[in-house]
Amino acid sequence: MSASLLGYDTRSLRSALVMRAVDTLNPFKRAQDFAWASPCVVSSIAGLGDLFIHLPLIAGIVNEACVRGVEIRVALRPAHVGIGAQCGWEILPFDNALEDFFKNPGALQPNELFGRARGPRKNPPALWIDLTGNAVSALAVKLAGAKKLAARVTRGGASLIDYSLPHSIQENEYDNRARVAAVLGCELDFSLAEKLRSAPIAGCENTVVLCLTTITRWRNWPLENFRHLAERFPRTNFVATGFRNEIAGEELDDLAKLLRLPNVSDRLDQLSIVELIRLIAHAPAVVTNDTSAAHIANFFGTRGAVLFGPAGPATFAMRGGLQPFHDATCPFFPCVQWKCSNETNWCMRKISARAVGDYLETLPGLAS
């Protein structure tokens, strides 16, 4: 499958059509050279994993703004504002109210949409730097009153973007941070880890974290493989995290077998975002699907394995971070994650528990 559609960094035709539609709003818009202005907003309003990739860059942008005497706020999704507060930033709760509309046109609530835009419009930013980087976010930011917008254009929004941030289709998201920082004239700041580490969760000290689920079934490693890992390391304590409603019905028996093991504790559906962060920050290792837990682990330097499927490690793995495991032999790779066109030879099933276990044995304190 092509790595892009209609020239955008997406493999979903529906998303590509939305991006093209937004780009027709002002088809003659041309990007300018970046210039700071005050007041400024920097935003990361996608998932928790994206935020943890962006945190060192956001910190660098805030630092540079302060040096320049630029008034700056950090726009985060309401569920993530506590993370920004721990970092000591002035936070603007902001969400992309249009995203659900494009998934389900009947879901649009005009009052909610304009209500979310009303807050920023009380003090409209002269400059908004959006690290989310898609057409929907660009439209939401402009509705919020931003006079100038800096964002990537590979996911649409070019008709609304004044300053184009560097990004190539399927570029590694970790490497991209340095390129964006260079354009903005700032440095990445990795000092936030100690501010966010907090104290370990009682009873979970020295416990390996197994992140079992993602929002899409086709990015989930078979649960029997997680069980094989826990059985291979009987002297190691494991904690299972994730959400039961993200587990396929045919795997419920495998889940029960995993949770019955004496060295596995069940924290499914029990952890807040802050608790998940604390758990991963103090874990000796993490084994996770390609989801936010992987990026949290990379942020804190936690060791372990990340299991890739529809999307590959070239885009979302950090060099020197979690060890990526991936089988790219599927003829449909990379693919749209919401469905699988090759269920009988599903890529996640081809990542063996033995290979992951062999790697874990190389980590301190995890001998079988």
Side-chain angles (χ1 to χ4, degrees), residues 49-63:
D50 295 272
L51 175 58
F52 269 83
I53 293 174
H54 293 152
L55 280 175
L57 177 55
I58 295 173
I61 291 170
V62 171
N63 294 344

Side-chain angles (χ1 to χ4, degrees), residues 113-322:
L113 172 59
F114 290 107
R116 295 185 186 186
R118 191 177 299 122
R121 292 185 72 90
K122 294 177 181 177
N123 182 23
L127 170 64
W128 191 305
I129 303 170
D130 181 40
L131 304 179
T132 313
N134 59 54
V136 176
S137 293
L139 188 54
V141 166
K142 278 298 188 179
L143 286 174
K147 296 175 183 177
K148 296 284 188 178
L149 171 60
R152 65 178 65 169
V153 299
T154 49
R155 294 175 183 161
S159 68
L160 303 171
I161 292 171
D162 302 283
Y163 309 129
S164 177
L165 298 181
H167 186 262
S168 301
I169 290 176
Q170 293 200 319
E171 179 177 357
N172 183 274
E173 294 295 329
Y174 286 95
D175 293 346
N176 178 253
R177 300 178 303 188
R179 295 217 296 143
V180 172
V183 168
L184 302 180
C186 65
E187 301 288 338
L188 300 178
D189 182 353
F190 295 96
S191 67
L192 294 177
E194 292 312 308
K195 290 184 179 180
L196 294 177
R197 190 178 300 276
S198 300
I201 296 177
C204 292
E205 301 90 347
N206 202 36
T207 301
V208 175
V209 180
L210 303 178
C211 300
L212 305 183
T213 71
T214 71
I215 58 174
T216 170
R217 188 242 194 285
W218 304 111
R219 285 165 59 184
N220 292 342
W221 203 35
L223 291 182
E224 64 176 345
N225 288 345
F226 285 104
R227 175 170 57 84
H228 291 327
L229 280 185
E231 290 173 339
R232 178 169 172 174
F233 297 88
R235 293 178 293 166
T236 297
N237 292 323
F238 294 88
V239 56
T241 69
F243 300 95
R244 281 178 169 80
N245 65 0
E246 294 176 347
I247 295 174
E250 62 268 25
E251 286 201 290
L252 292 177
D253 185 55
D254 289 319
L255 176 64
K257 291 177 181 178
L258 171 65
L259 298 180
R260 280 199 297 266
L261 295 176
N263 60 330
V264 177
S265 61
D266 178 8
R267 291 296 181 104
L268 289 163
D269 302 318
Q270 299 177 39
L271 298 174
S272 67
I273 289 176
V274 171
E275 289 170 330
L276 178 65
I277 293 169
R278 290 168 58 194
L279 185 66
I280 293 173
H282 292 277
V286 170
V287 180
T288 177
N289 298 302
D290 171 25
T291 188
S292 58
H295 304 301
I296 296 171
N298 285 336
F299 179 80
F300 288 107
T302 304
R303 308 304 302 171
V306 54
L307 313 159
F308 284 96
T315 303
F316 292 107
M318 186 180 82
R319 285 181 290 180
L322 294 180

Side-chain angles (χ1 to χ4, degrees), residues 5-33:
L5 283 172
L6 303 181
Y8 297 112
D9 192 6
T10 182
R11 290 165 297 284
S12 165
L13 180 59
R14 187 174 188 179
S15 296
L17 291 174
V18 169
M19 295 172 190
R20 178 59 58 85
V22 173
D23 280 357
T24 61
L25 296 175
N26 184 2
F28 302 106
K29 183 81 170 181
R30 293 293 180 266
Q32 308 167 31
D33 292 333

